Amino acid sequence: MLVKRNHNHNGIDLPFSSEITPRAVFESRRGFIRQMALGSIAGSALFEMANREVFAQSASSQKLIGVANPAYASIEKKTSYKDATTYNNFYEFGTDKADPAVNAGSLKPRPWTVSIEGEIKKPMTLDLDSLLKLAPIEERIYRLRCVEGWSMVIPWMGYSLAQLIKKVEPNSNARFVEFITLDDKKQMPGLRSSVLQWPYVEGLRLDEAMHPLTLLTLGMYGEVLPNQNGAPVRIVVPWKYGFKSAKSIVKIRFTKEQPRTAWNVSAPNEYGFYSNVNPEVDHPRWSQATERRIGEDGLFARKRKTLMFNGYNEVASLYTGMDLKKYF
Ligand SMILES: Nc1nc2c(c(=O)[nH]1)N[C@H]1C(S)=C(S)[C@@H](COP(=O)(O)O)O[C@H]1N2
Ligand SMILES: [Mo]
């Protein structure tokens, strides 16, 4: 039998998911959100009005309403909810793509707090409701490109991380932001394995973290985040490989020095700090020139060309004068 396979971060062969069923429920909800955002532009009166309506939502319901931000709409076909929630990387729940959906039920996303500390003037601990109310929730359709060579198109819900960063007021020492994931063996069975050093940590330079594209993410497909996608709060950095988008964050720390990151510690020659999507810089064990869109893995599916910065060229100015082969 011929089964299409790709490699995970450790070079282990894995079959692709072939689920392509979109959910009727989701489609009708999207219609509603699209309706609400019809003709609106971020910052316009209609956008603000729609936002006031949904601003009071709490984390008690599974639904999460956000206003579609037209700057991040997409003509690309969205990945099905089923694929996005059953083909995951979340090593705290196992290393197979199917593991997180099966095992992440033990994660308790409520109550939850995120402590924000380090080189800032206003350290604080925020609970989920405070995070939900910190800024208007937007829906943004972003491509996520995994370093393994596959990608998805997902309607994420959240707001620019910059909104939170402005609130905590970084001091003049702050040059990097470190994201620290939950580290609780009772909730995360994968922590018993030593596949990575725990907790899972990631980091960005402060200007990358401040870039409006960097999304503090609280939901997807009109719902709060499913556990396997990093409930209740994660970041999504769409111009970088997927592993930079840390899930189930409990701590955000502002630092002077470049933070250690989980994948860089595990294989420094394979995973750099920057990890910008770059078709010209191959992974030492495989090419990064093309990618497979999840859901397009049928018999006649063609690979897509990977785009510099995953197509998000507006971030290029963050790296002027930098050798992106050296700073991979
Ligand atoms: N805490 C944590 N965050 C993580 C990971 C992980 O193993 N643990 N995997 C990363 C990788 S490799 C990818 S590709 C994305 C996948 O996100 P998704 O499952 O929501 O598509 O999450 C990233 N965030
Ligand atoms: Mo990944």
Side-chain angles (χ1 to χ4, degrees), residues 9 89 145-148 150 241-243:
H9 294 195
N89 273 334
R145 203 305 195 163
C146 177
V147 73
E148 295 165 346
W150 50 266
Y241 292 117
F243 65 86

Side-chain angles (χ1 to χ4, degrees), residues 54-271:
V54 300
F55 207 44
Q57 65 197 339
S58 85
S60 57
S61 108
Q62 287 300 108
K63 253 191 239 170
L64 185 63
I65 298 169
V67 176
N69 186 327
Y72 310 105
S74 173
I75 53 159
E76 290 186 294
K77 187 176 183 291
K78 287 186 299 294
T79 300
S80 73
Y81 178 89
K82 177 103 184 188
D83 277 344
T85 56
T86 55
Y87 190 87
N88 300 103
N89 273 334
F90 200 169
Y91 278 19
E92 287 88 334
F93 295 102
T95 55
D96 284 354
K97 294 288 172 286
D99 283 346
V102 174
N103 298 329
S106 51
L107 177 71
K108 296 275 161 292
R110 266 167 225 104
W112 192 275
T113 57
V114 179
S115 77
I116 304 156
E117 53 186 59
E119 303 288 353
I120 48 176
K121 290 177 195 141
K122 294 185 173 161
M124 55 181 79
T125 298
L126 296 173
D127 64 15
L128 206 47
D129 281 329
S130 314
L131 282 170
L132 283 164
K133 284 164 188 160
L134 191 131
I137 305 284
E138 300 168 27
E139 181 196 70
R140 298 190 189 177
I141 302 173
Y142 282 168
R143 286 180 297 279
L144 185 86
R145 203 305 195 163
C146 177
V147 73
E148 295 165 346
W150 50 266
S151 58
M152 298 197 193
V153 179
I154 296 180
W156 301 104
M157 328 270 305
Y159 47 80
S160 291
L161 176 66
Q163 306 250 34
L164 184 149
I165 295 179
K166 280 177 207 147
K167 215 175 139 80
V168 300
E169 297 181 25
N171 66 34
S172 58
N173 286 329
R175 293 179 52 231
F176 295 92
V177 188
E178 186 182 8
F179 304 93
I180 299 143
T181 296
L182 180 72
D183 180 12
D184 180 358
K185 285 195 185 61
K186 275 180 273 169
Q187 297 183 57
M188 299 173 141
L191 296 180
R192 280 180 237 123
S193 140
S194 54
V195 60
L196 289 172
Q197 263 181 44
W198 312 112
Y200 192 100
V201 284
E202 256 310 332
L204 296 171
R205 226 168 49 191
L206 184 60
D207 59 341
E208 296 178 318
M210 287 291 291
H211 193 281
L213 271 177
T214 302
L215 193 72
L216 188 91
T217 306
L218 296 151
M220 56 193 260
Y221 298 86
E223 294 180 357
V224 298
L225 281 173
N227 287 358
Q228 59 267 40
N229 294 89
V233 54
R234 70 178 296 175
I235 50 155
V236 176
V237 193
W239 72 95
K240 292 178 181 279
Y241 292 117
F243 65 86
K244 299 296 288 181
S245 295
K247 295 175 167 180
S248 303
I249 293 167
V250 292
K251 200 176 284 187
I252 299 177
R253 191 187 287 141
F254 292 75
T255 64
K256 200 172 172 174
E257 310 297 336
Q258 182 175 301
R260 289 149 46 90
T261 60
W263 280 101
N264 180 251
V265 166
S266 108
N269 61 320
E270 299 187 5
Y271 310 107

